[in-house]
Amino acid sequence: MLRKKRLHDALSKALLPVHLTIEDESSNHRRPGVETHFTVLAVSDKFQALSRLERHRLVNALVEVEFNTGLHALSLHLYTTDEWNKRGNPTPTVPPCHSKPL
């Protein structure tokens, strides 16, 4: 199973999100086809009453096995439904990578 699907399955099951997108950004980091860098946008009421740090810790714990098997980086954009609606349903932007060529 592809890492993107495993991430999607794990986060969907635990967070019951109203919106979830997972983008493989590995090719932007000169790592095409290796599934090491992802951007996650999750909108879930499970984030209610959690600080930004607590939300990140929760998501990182949910996908810990992926970090142990080659996942290198997650860019996390985590909102409650109210926060996401107030922001106008934003699409996350990821800054360009500054890694050196392989």
Side-chain angles (χ1 to χ4, degrees):
M1 181 185 316
L2 295 174
R3 187 180 312 273
K4 182 176 178 178
K5 176 148 177 32
R6 292 191 308 265
L7 290 169
H8 187 276
D9 290 351
L11 296 177
S12 292
K13 182 178 178 181
L15 300 176
L16 305 172
V18 296
H19 183 83
L20 177 64
T21 57
I22 301 172
E23 296 296 326
D24 185 350
E25 301 284 338
S26 302
S27 62
N28 296 343
H29 297 273
R30 296 181 179 91
R31 306 254 188 266
V34 294
E35 296 187 302
T36 56
H37 294 70
F38 287 85
T39 296
V40 173
L41 168 61
V43 180
S44 172
D45 290 326
K46 299 272 184 175
F47 298 137
Q48 198 69 41
L50 296 180
S51 70
R52 184 175 176 195
L53 179 59
E54 290 168 327
R55 295 172 190 192
H56 283 243
R57 286 180 175 160
L58 171 62
V59 170
N60 285 330
L62 292 171
V63 298
E64 182 178 7
V65 68
E66 297 299 332
F67 280 109
N68 294 333
T69 60
L71 178 61
H72 178 70
L74 281 178
S75 174
L76 298 175
H77 305 269
L78 310 173
Y79 305 104
T80 64
T81 304
D82 287 342
E83 291 167 342
W84 196 54
N85 288 334
K86 285 178 186 174
R87 290 176 175 260
N89 307 339
T91 301
T93 57
V94 179
C97 179
H98 298 291
S99 65
K100 296 177 184 174
L102 296 176

